[in-house]
Amino acid sequence: MATEPDAPKSLADPAVLAARRALVGSPHLAPLRDLARTIAAERQAPVPDPDPLDGGVGARLLLLLETPGPAIFRTGFVSRDNATGTSANLFRFLREAGIARRDTLIWNAVPWVIHAEGALNRAPRRVEAKAAAAYMAPLLDLLPHLAVAVLAGRFAGEAQPAIAALRPDLPVVAIPHPSPTYVCTSPSVAERIRTGLAEAAAHLAGLRFTQR
């Protein structure tokens, strides 16, 4: 297994990206990559792979974002190591919370790219959200060890009823989206993210979370 990066945005380095791509055949990723390819074929749009340094099918924490951003055209990964502000914030917040990479899977509520290459990302449309809901069950079927799901942002938060129906006993934690645009609006946003991830970390440790 490759050494974990010590700083955000490491996939901007071509050598680091090449080393990461060399790991995509790892067994813990194979079922998720198969699902990604199925979704890509059905939606006729790219679906990025999970980061090989993360937990894959062994993940105990599902971190659900909204849609793949423009960075995936450069790396092909949903990763906290992409060279974006959102990924850098995730890198820092997850590290602060003491959540091990091997415990995490980062995925998107709409897993496929919904914007043209070179265009800015946009909010998913209702028809895209409805289509994406069909992929929640096959995703959760691949994650037998989940101890908690973290839903980042309003749109990802709308997956809560589907997750509750599929995994009634799975704790679900809602946090604000970690994009710099939103995090910078108020100090309370970062604090809510930290509190939510602290709760998720407590679930991973099998502890009762007490808000400070």
Side-chain angles (χ1 to χ4, degrees):
M1 180 65 72
T3 302
E4 292 186 11
D6 289 326
K9 302 187 179 183
S10 60
L11 289 180
D13 183 331
V16 173
L17 178 57
R20 196 73 53 91
R21 285 175 172 165
L23 300 173
V24 295
S26 301
H28 72 297
L29 282 192
L32 291 162
R33 294 187 73 217
D34 287 344
L35 176 60
R37 285 191 288 268
T38 295
I39 297 170
E42 292 178 358
R43 307 314 308 174
Q44 293 296 292
V47 177
D49 288 329
D51 192 318
L53 293 191
D54 293 350
V57 296
R60 300 171 59 227
L61 183 155
L62 170 64
L63 198 160
L64 198 65
L65 297 171
E66 298 190 349
T67 64
I72 73 98
F73 287 112
R74 297 190 294 273
T75 69
F77 294 122
V78 180
S79 175
R80 75 195 72 193
D81 298 322
N82 281 332
T84 69
T86 295
S87 296
N89 281 342
L90 265 184
F91 183 101
R92 296 185 184 103
F93 284 129
L94 287 165
R95 176 168 281 197
E96 285 178 17
I99 296 172
R101 286 190 77 135
R102 65 180 178 275
D103 279 335
T104 63
L105 171 69
I106 302 174
W107 194 259
N108 285 288
V110 174
W112 65 92
V113 176
I114 62 173
H115 58 278
E117 185 168 1
L120 295 176
N121 207 358
R122 60 170 173 79
R125 300 186 177 106
R126 189 54 50 188
V127 66
E128 292 163 337
K130 184 176 180 181
Y135 299 114
M136 184 56 65
L139 173 64
L140 294 181
D141 284 345
L142 297 178
L143 304 172
H145 305 295
L146 281 186
V148 62
V150 176
L151 311 183
R154 179 193 59 79
F155 182 80
E158 294 178 3
Q160 192 277 335
I163 294 173
L166 293 163
R167 293 275 188 93
D169 297 327
L170 182 69
V172 176
V173 178
I175 64 172
H177 196 280
S179 71
T181 302
Y182 191 40
V183 170
C184 290
T185 60
S186 168
S188 67
V189 175
E191 186 56 33
R192 287 161 56 203
I193 293 174
R194 291 187 177 99
T195 298
L197 292 179
E199 180 179 353
H203 284 299
L204 292 177
L207 301 174
R208 182 182 297 276
F209 177 72
T210 301
Q211 187 167 347
R212 293 174 296 176

